[in-house]
Amino acid sequence: MTSVEGNRMAAALVFEEYEPAADCPCPGCARHRRELVLGLAVRAGGHPAAHGARRALVLATAAGVALGTGTAHQAAAVPAAHPAGPAGATVRDEPGRDTPQGQAGPLHGRPLPGPTASQAGLSAPSLRRTTRADIINRAERWVAAKVPYSLEAYWTDGYRQDCSGFVSMAWGLPGNEWTGTLHRYGTALSRAELQPGDILLFHNPEDPNKGSHVTIFGGWTDDTHTYYTAYEQARPHARRQATPMAYWNNSSRYVAYRYKGLSAAPVPAAGSTGSRESSPFPGPGSFGPGADNRYITQLGRMLVTRGGERFYRSGPGPRWSDADRGATRAFQRAQGWTGREADGLPGPDTWRLLVAGQGRDIPGGGRAAASAPAFPGRGHFRPGRSNAHVEKLGRRLVQRGFGTHYRSGPDPRWTEADRRNVQEFQRAQGWRGGEADGYPGPETWRRLFR
């Protein structure tokens, strides 16, 4: 082999990139692991200057070897050629579910003096106190707004729009964390102990950008505990969907955590339908044949106010009955659900709509509520108008679950967001064409406020 051929082969080896083993002690691998922790690639949100410096180092080293001037010290500065990590460390990403990780940082991405919250090692008393219902409520707001997934963007509340920013927001953390630091704010628990507001976290230490992800547990979808309602920030936007335990991939590597600053929610008073803040879903085990508890009474009373009174000859009471199942099924079907989604057994979504007073009422039954206020007239709801009736309309739309188009407000000024929210409410009534133009009339007003 000639010296020229040898130099060409050496230069080719320097340009070929490998994933270093997680336990390799050589200087090149150690340097690479430090870079994974301290910075990200530009495509994943890292700083271009850091990426450029690393590329310049590789090019300079390659040039030195090609010219015959490279030294052993220079070669050691480049990550050594090693195969991927040890057996079991390979991570397979499901197509379309890649969720690269941003780093821990302050809200809105603006630097603040002093250490970050995760560096400070906050204890539970230092954390913002919150309830399970508050966590789910905040997650629901991002889902309703369909907040787009992004490593660089920050939503109006200051949190980064990736999966760990989503959890930081829902838990009410003082800054934006990432999958490598979220565990500091939680207590590990078994999957059997999961309750709404807990999280399932997988951090891939070999490469945080390959498979690392975190979801919020919203409750079991069936009594086999094989699927759960997951709240997550993933491409293309925040969503809520039934998900296999613990996730579509890397399932065995997810760890359950409970927020350290969690406060116990007060038990609703007898006869009260409660609120989203005080009545988190108690779990599917609270309902069904043989169940006997206060949540069944609460469920029945909420169903009665939504048009389910005809199903009950007496009660509602704490013992599960065919009346409870029939009224629950009627409410679920009123939402347009079918199949297992309308099996008469309440899940997290059914409970959320009932507690919040949202969704459609059961057809054919009156709702025990005060009569609707008088319709103020169509002229109040037109472009350029600003009055108290517009704001009242907007607040009622939000209360009924039709406020997804608001980015701020609602307020007294009529906007396109008002019109689109009204249109969604009208379509939910089964109206089409000119009946669902987004401008409230007497019937829209009556149904919205009844």
Side-chain angles (χ1 to χ4, degrees):
M1 179 184 296
T2 66
S3 59
V4 173
E5 292 174 336
N7 286 339
R8 286 175 179 172
M9 293 183 64
L13 287 175
V14 170
F15 275 108
E16 190 172 356
E17 293 188 1
Y18 294 86
E19 187 71 19
D23 57 351
C24 178
C26 77
C29 290
R31 175 190 176 90
H32 186 73
R33 285 194 295 270
R34 286 196 300 272
E35 290 177 342
L36 284 178
V37 175
L38 298 177
L40 298 171
V42 174
R43 65 178 181 274
H47 198 284
H51 181 73
R54 179 177 180 272
R55 179 61 61 188
L57 175 62
V58 173
L59 292 175
T61 305
V65 174
L67 295 173
T69 59
T71 64
H73 176 73
Q74 287 174 316
V78 182
H82 286 287
T90 301
V91 178
R92 296 180 179 178
D93 292 329
E94 184 180 10
R97 294 188 182 274
D98 53 318
T99 53
Q101 288 298 295
Q103 294 176 295
L107 298 185
H108 294 288
R110 292 193 292 263
L112 298 174
T116 63
S118 59
Q119 291 171 335
L122 294 179
S123 59
S126 303
L127 294 177
R128 171 183 175 180
R129 308 299 294 181
T130 191
T131 66
R132 297 187 183 281
D134 289 333
I135 294 171
I136 298 300
N137 204 10
R138 287 191 287 269
E140 284 280 4
R141 284 200 287 267
W142 272 37
V143 170
K146 295 183 178 179
V147 175
Y149 179 88
S150 174
L151 273 171
E152 293 81 23
Y154 294 79
W155 196 238
T156 54
D157 52 17
Y159 290 96
R160 192 179 57 245
Q161 295 168 213
D162 64 357
C163 65
S164 46
F166 177 64
V167 171
S168 298
M169 174 276 301
W171 274 8
L173 301 184
N176 286 287
E177 299 302 321
W178 71 309
T179 56
T181 57
L182 277 172
H183 69 280
R184 301 178 184 178
Y185 296 86
T187 302
L189 61 148
S190 69
R191 295 182 181 182
E193 298 175 284
L194 280 165
Q195 296 185 47
D198 298 336
I199 66 171
L200 286 157
L201 171 67
F202 166 47
H203 177 67
N204 179 17
E206 290 83 16
D207 185 346
N209 285 328
K210 290 186 177 179
S212 296
H213 192 46
V214 60
T215 70
I216 297 175
F217 181 83
W220 300 107
T221 61
D222 55 32
D223 55 7
T224 65
H225 289 192
T226 55
Y227 273 75
Y228 70 103
T229 299
Y231 293 86
E232 60 177 328
Q233 181 73 357
R235 302 183 192 277
H237 53 68
R239 63 191 175 200
R240 177 188 68 246
Q241 65 179 11
T243 303
M245 177 56 62
Y247 202 64
W248 306 93
N249 48 27
N250 303 304
S251 177
S252 63
R253 304 180 72 178
Y254 277 76
V255 179
Y257 289 95
R258 178 164 297 158
Y259 180 52
K260 290 180 179 179
L262 195 65
S263 297
V267 178
S272 169
T273 60
S275 66
R276 293 188 74 173
E277 289 73 23
S278 60
S279 295
F281 180 58
S286 299
F287 308 99
D292 187 343
N293 55 73
R294 68 178 182 272
Y295 299 111
I296 298 174
T297 303
Q298 182 182 353
L299 171 74
R301 287 170 173 163
M302 291 190 293
L303 288 166
V304 166
T305 68
R306 301 302 297 274
E309 184 176 5
R310 67 180 184 274
F311 291 91
Y312 293 93
R313 293 186 178 180
S314 62
R319 185 180 296 276
W320 181 261
S321 67
D322 290 340
D324 296 303
R325 184 155 197 166
T328 301
R329 183 184 292 113
F331 178 77
Q332 291 168 333
R333 288 176 176 173
Q335 315 313 309
W337 304 343
T338 59
R340 294 183 63 182
E341 292 182 339
D343 59 2
L345 297 172
D349 292 333
T350 301
W351 186 265
R352 174 180 57 83
L353 291 176
L354 287 170
V355 167
Q358 298 175 353
R360 303 180 192 175
D361 293 343
I362 299 172
R367 182 172 178 180
S371 59
F375 179 58
R378 299 177 186 272
H380 293 90
F381 310 102
R382 289 293 183 269
R385 291 304 185 100
S386 180
N387 54 75
H389 300 297
V390 174
E391 184 173 8
K392 183 176 184 179
L393 172 79
R395 294 189 182 281
R396 183 60 175 171
L397 285 166
V398 171
Q399 185 180 5
R400 293 294 300 274
F402 294 91
T404 57
H405 295 288
Y406 289 122
R407 292 296 178 266
S408 62
D411 55 41
R413 185 171 59 88
W414 177 264
T415 66
E416 177 63 11
D418 294 298
R419 192 196 70 78
R420 294 176 69 183
N421 287 329
V422 171
Q423 186 176 52
E424 286 197 1
F425 176 78
Q426 291 169 332
R427 288 175 175 172
Q429 313 308 306
W431 304 341
R432 295 295 183 268
E435 294 181 339
D437 60 1
Y439 295 100
E443 183 61 17
T444 299
W445 185 269
R446 185 186 67 82
R447 293 196 182 195
L448 184 61
F449 282 93
R450 69 182 179 182

